[in-house]
Amino acid sequence: MEIGVAAYLKKINKSLILSKIIKHELISRSDIANITKLTKATISAQAAELLDEGLIIESHQEYNYVGRKPIMLSLNQHAGYAMGIDLDFRNIKFTVSDLIGNPVHSDSVELENSNYDEILQILINRIRGYQERFSHCRFGIVGVGIGIHGTVKKDETISFVPHHKWYNKDLKGDLEKSVNTAVYVENNANLCAFAEKVFHFHRSNDLISLSMYSGIGLGFLFNGELIKGYHGFAGEMGHMIISPDGKPCNCGKNGCWELYASEASFLNNFSKIIDKPKLTYQDIKSLVIARNSAVMTQMDEYIMYVSIGLNNIINILNPEILVLNSELLKLLPDAMNTIKLNLKTSISNYKEIFISDLGTNACVMGACAIAIKKFLDIPELNLTIKKEVLVPSI
């Protein structure tokens, strides 16, 4: 066998074994052999290398029978840490997770302006700070994933960020010149969809995630792979026109869906109606609990517009799972039932629709997950967050 072919097969086998260890959390060498059909010699050799690298560890499982206790393999979750960044309009959220996706630190920075160079320097300083903080472990910060609320090309360069008015920025390249780690730049909605797949819907290969906060973005997994389109711009459903003579949008068109169904648009419109600037979700929650007529009317209209867009998406893509990443819809107990009734037709078809459990953390957790997957170089990543709430900033 040629050296190149042998090295390639060795890499494939190592990746396969590592992915099974991660999926099962604790697994013996013999069980890996049964699952993968690889020889015991191959598994022993690959496991030895992974142990030497410090990527996996051995432990003895509780065993109540006569005979030798099986030696179990598991990922060394503290061998390195992944960094996720959600670069939004008004703030940047940072989260660091261990190698099995448990968040260990999270904080955020409020943005004073949209100046690219200033924001770039904030990112550089934060990444360097986290690299120093986690330098004690074997691999340190293994990679940085960044979610962008705009269009990202297939080469990971930024095409356009509407709120910041950024055009053709190479954030990945600019960061990698200054920080000694791999950087991955992706559309935030794609990262949300990836997070839903990695942390919750392991068996769903056709999944749509809608991020509904500052705008509306769609991440779509088909046969388990992210669909990005010709240039990488697929999923910009927030700019689907639902009212041709409607409100003007930053994109240059009128009547875009996100002007009627994003949470930012709802809060902005409703604050004008009740003459109260800077409305919070808690303000809306209190009004909903009190069954305030103004907020209930606006919520009804909001749900109608959400349903219109969802109907279009379902008819175009026919997904198995729909995940709505929305804090606003959580405030109205009957919201999902109303949406389901609005979507019930003789044509539209999907399996189930959910509100995301990850919520506003979906993007950063997807960013952490993509950095983990790239570092481990495995074909599929299935994780379960052990801690349901992100650790607060220290």
Side-chain angles (χ1 to χ4, degrees):
M1 184 181 295
E2 294 183 8
I3 294 176
V5 174
Y8 176 72
L9 289 176
K10 181 179 178 181
K11 179 181 177 181
I12 293 295
N13 290 338
K14 181 178 180 180
S15 174
L16 178 60
I17 291 167
L18 188 55
S19 67
K20 298 306 177 186
I21 292 172
I22 295 167
K23 180 178 180 179
H24 292 272
E25 298 183 3
L26 277 172
I27 189 169
S28 68
R29 289 170 174 81
S30 61
D31 285 340
I32 294 174
N34 291 333
I35 293 169
T36 63
K37 308 305 180 185
L38 295 173
T39 66
K40 291 182 179 180
T42 296
I43 291 167
S44 293
Q46 293 292 341
E49 285 194 16
L50 290 168
L51 285 165
D52 287 342
E53 292 173 12
L55 269 180
I56 64 172
I57 54 177
E58 292 181 323
S59 61
H60 288 280
Q61 190 177 36
E62 290 295 326
Y63 192 65
N64 299 320
Y65 302 96
V66 176
R68 182 182 297 176
K69 293 181 179 180
I71 298 174
M72 310 300 286
L73 303 176
S74 61
L75 185 70
N76 181 2
Q77 66 192 78
H78 301 301
Y81 294 85
M83 186 172 177
I85 300 174
D86 182 358
L87 204 171
D88 204 348
F89 175 40
R90 295 184 178 87
N91 64 78
I92 309 174
K93 179 182 285 189
F94 301 88
T95 291
V96 175
S97 78
D98 61 24
L99 291 183
I100 60 171
N102 289 324
V104 299
H105 183 83
S106 182
D107 65 3
S108 62
V109 172
E110 296 295 320
L111 293 178
E112 297 179 357
N113 58 60
S114 292
N115 184 276
Y116 176 79
D117 291 331
E118 290 183 22
I119 292 174
L120 174 64
Q121 195 58 53
I122 290 172
L123 294 174
I124 291 170
N125 292 341
R126 285 299 174 116
I127 293 169
R128 286 175 175 172
Y130 281 116
Q131 286 176 320
E132 176 64 26
R133 179 171 179 168
F134 292 93
S135 61
H136 63 279
C137 63
R138 180 72 175 265
F139 297 101
I141 296 294
V142 301
V144 179
I146 303 179
I148 301 297
H149 293 243
T151 52
V152 178
K153 299 177 184 177
K154 287 184 176 180
D155 64 1
E156 296 183 62
T157 59
I158 297 169
S159 176
F160 178 48
V161 180
H163 289 297
H164 286 304
K165 294 293 190 292
W166 290 352
Y167 294 89
N168 302 318
K169 299 294 185 182
D170 185 11
L171 182 62
K172 173 184 172 71
D174 291 338
L175 284 173
E176 288 184 337
K177 291 174 186 174
S178 301
V179 297
N180 186 29
T181 192
V183 176
Y184 309 99
V185 176
E186 184 57 89
N187 171 268
N188 72 299
N190 284 344
L191 290 179
C192 289
F194 187 64
E196 298 295 344
K197 167 71 173 174
V198 168
F199 293 108
H200 288 303
F201 301 99
H202 299 160
R203 296 184 179 180
S204 177
N205 286 322
D206 299 305
L207 177 149
I208 284 175
S209 173
L210 276 170
S211 180
M212 304 172 68
Y213 298 109
S214 58
I216 294 183
L218 178 146
F220 182 33
L221 287 151
F222 181 69
N223 287 335
E225 298 293 329
L226 280 172
I227 302 300
K228 300 186 180 184
Y230 178 51
H231 284 301
F233 298 172
E236 290 298 322
M237 298 305 291
H239 298 286
M240 168 177 59
I241 297 173
I242 63 168
S243 178
D245 298 318
K247 304 172 186 177
C249 181
N250 283 331
C251 74
K253 297 180 294 186
N254 286 37
C256 291
W257 187 33
E258 69 178 37
L259 300 178
Y260 303 85
S262 71
E263 300 197 351
S265 68
F266 177 91
L267 293 172
N268 183 56
N269 294 336
F270 191 59
S271 68
K272 293 176 182 177
I273 290 172
I274 64 172
D275 195 23
K276 182 177 179 179
K278 295 184 179 179
L279 274 175
T280 66
Y281 290 109
Q282 187 58 48
D283 293 330
I284 301 299
K285 182 178 181 179
S286 298
L287 290 170
V288 168
I289 291 172
R291 306 298 291 182
N292 175 272
S293 60
V295 78
M296 299 310 293
T297 298
Q298 290 303 304
M299 284 293 283
D300 287 344
E301 183 177 294
Y302 175 74
I303 289 172
M304 178 193 71
Y305 281 120
V306 168
S307 302
I308 289 171
L310 289 177
N311 181 72
N312 294 342
I313 291 167
I314 291 167
N315 284 330
I316 294 169
L317 299 175
N318 182 217
E320 176 189 5
I321 301 294
L322 268 165
V323 184
L324 307 184
N325 201 306
S326 168
E327 295 300 305
L328 199 55
L329 292 175
K330 291 179 183 178
L331 303 181
L332 200 62
D334 294 331
M336 291 308 294
N337 287 333
T338 304
I339 288 173
K340 288 178 183 179
L341 287 173
N342 290 342
L343 297 178
K344 191 173 183 180
T345 73
S346 60
I347 298 175
S348 297
N349 189 271
Y350 62 96
K351 183 177 180 181
E352 192 53 274
I353 184 169
F354 300 94
I355 295 180
S356 173
D357 289 333
L358 291 171
T360 56
N361 295 320
C363 179
V364 285
M365 293 312 300
C368 288
I370 204 165
I372 293 170
K373 184 176 183 294
K374 295 285 189 179
F375 169 68
L376 297 176
D377 193 21
I378 55 178
E380 186 177 21
L381 184 65
N382 292 329
L383 301 172
T384 302
I385 300 176
K386 305 300 182 184
K387 301 172 184 178
E388 292 300 324
V389 180
L390 291 177
V391 176
S393 176
I394 296 174

